Amino acid sequence: MSFNSSQEQFWATTYAKDYIKKNQEFDHNLGAEAWRKILANVDGEINTFLECGCNIGRNIEQINRILPNAEPSIIEISEPAFNFVCSRYKFAHAFNGAILESFFDNNSFDLVFTMGVLIHINPDQLLAHMEKMFRYSSKYILMGEYFNRTPISIEYQGEKDKLFKRDWGKLFIENFDVNLLDYGFLWGHIYDSAGFDDINWWLFEKK
């Protein structure tokens, strides 16, 4: 597997197995409640969705509880996480590799989303990742990430240049032809046990 940045290599190898061990227990019912809030203003059905960076499938499990008939697909860069999630769920499409290396037809999925993934992407490659999400989606794009009004880099468990904060929604809406449907905040004080630790999210619809 080739990597487009040091961040990709880190998440695919160095931290992958440790992350899986730390993130196997979640309150999925609480997570499903969070997803109901996130998707409350969707005007239409979601029959297919693609998660870009699914890790062990927390969001897959929680979305399945509110959209049991929606067909999931995934992109996951970590081979251990990819094998783990594929052993537990059935996917229409599953790609083990970097988002930029993935290849799906344009307009393939009703919803394309990230949840805590863009924060780990090299800032120079952000728009390329967002363009992939935009092209893959037939209607909705969702991003759930750590917010800061100005772009900053902070240490992630002692590692530099592995976590970035910014206004993701503003960057996306200024560069792609979309309408903002909704946005919100999942307060970790309530949602930590479901895997959402102070996440801001933005839901867009393609024009």
Side-chain angles (χ1 to χ4, degrees):
M1 183 186 299
S2 61
F3 302 108
N4 298 290
S5 66
S6 62
Q7 288 81 10
E8 286 185 357
Q9 184 171 10
F10 176 79
W11 289 105
T13 56
T14 306
Y15 203 65
K17 291 182 180 180
D18 189 39
Y19 186 88
I20 292 172
K21 291 177 182 177
K22 291 180 178 180
N23 290 275
Q24 288 195 37
E25 298 298 328
F26 295 105
D27 183 339
H28 290 307
N29 288 329
L30 182 62
E33 176 189 308
W35 277 102
R36 283 191 189 93
K37 292 182 178 182
I38 291 171
L39 300 177
N41 284 329
V42 165
D43 182 22
E45 292 186 355
I46 294 177
N47 296 310
T48 58
F49 66 88
L50 170 69
E51 180 172 12
C52 301
C54 69
N55 199 260
I56 61 171
R58 167 178 63 86
N59 295 305
I60 302 298
E61 175 67 31
Q62 294 171 5
I63 292 174
N64 182 63
R65 297 191 181 204
I66 64 168
L67 298 173
N69 296 319
E71 191 175 57
S73 295
I74 59 167
I75 299 170
E76 174 51 47
I77 195 170
S78 159
E79 186 174 3
F82 180 82
N83 292 336
F84 181 91
V85 73
C86 286
S87 72
R88 300 186 69 178
Y89 303 98
K90 182 179 179 180
F91 298 109
H93 305 281
F95 179 78
N96 179 207
I99 294 170
L100 292 183
E101 303 302 322
S102 64
F103 43 88
F104 299 117
D105 291 337
N106 291 349
N107 307 307
S108 290
F109 310 97
D110 296 332
L111 169 68
V112 177
F113 75 92
T114 61
M115 191 61 65
V117 170
L118 297 179
I119 56 173
H120 299 306
I121 298 298
N122 187 308
D124 293 337
Q125 298 173 341
L126 266 181
L127 287 178
H129 282 77
M130 289 180 170
E131 183 180 7
K132 281 274 190 181
M133 296 174 67
F134 180 81
R135 288 198 294 105
Y136 287 162
S137 170
S138 63
K139 196 164 188 181
Y140 305 111
I141 304 100
L142 169 75
M143 293 172 288
E145 309 289 342
Y146 296 144
F147 174 82
N148 202 67
R149 293 197 69 172
T150 57
I152 59 170
S153 172
I154 62 175
E155 282 195 5
Y156 181 82
Q157 299 194 8
E159 294 279 345
K160 293 184 177 181
D161 296 325
K162 299 300 184 291
L163 195 155
F164 308 92
K165 295 183 179 184
R166 67 184 307 144
D167 188 337
W168 311 93
K170 182 179 179 182
L171 180 67
F172 192 75
I173 204 168
E174 287 181 345
N175 286 277
F176 299 94
D177 196 15
V178 293
N179 290 319
L180 176 67
L181 285 185
D182 204 357
Y183 63 97
F185 176 66
L186 295 173
W187 188 21
H189 179 67
I190 296 174
Y191 290 103
D192 266 353
S193 61
F196 299 103
D197 51 346
D198 296 333
I199 286 288
N200 283 83
W201 56 268
W202 299 261
L203 178 64
F204 298 97
E205 183 177 16
K206 296 177 80 169
K207 292 182 179 179

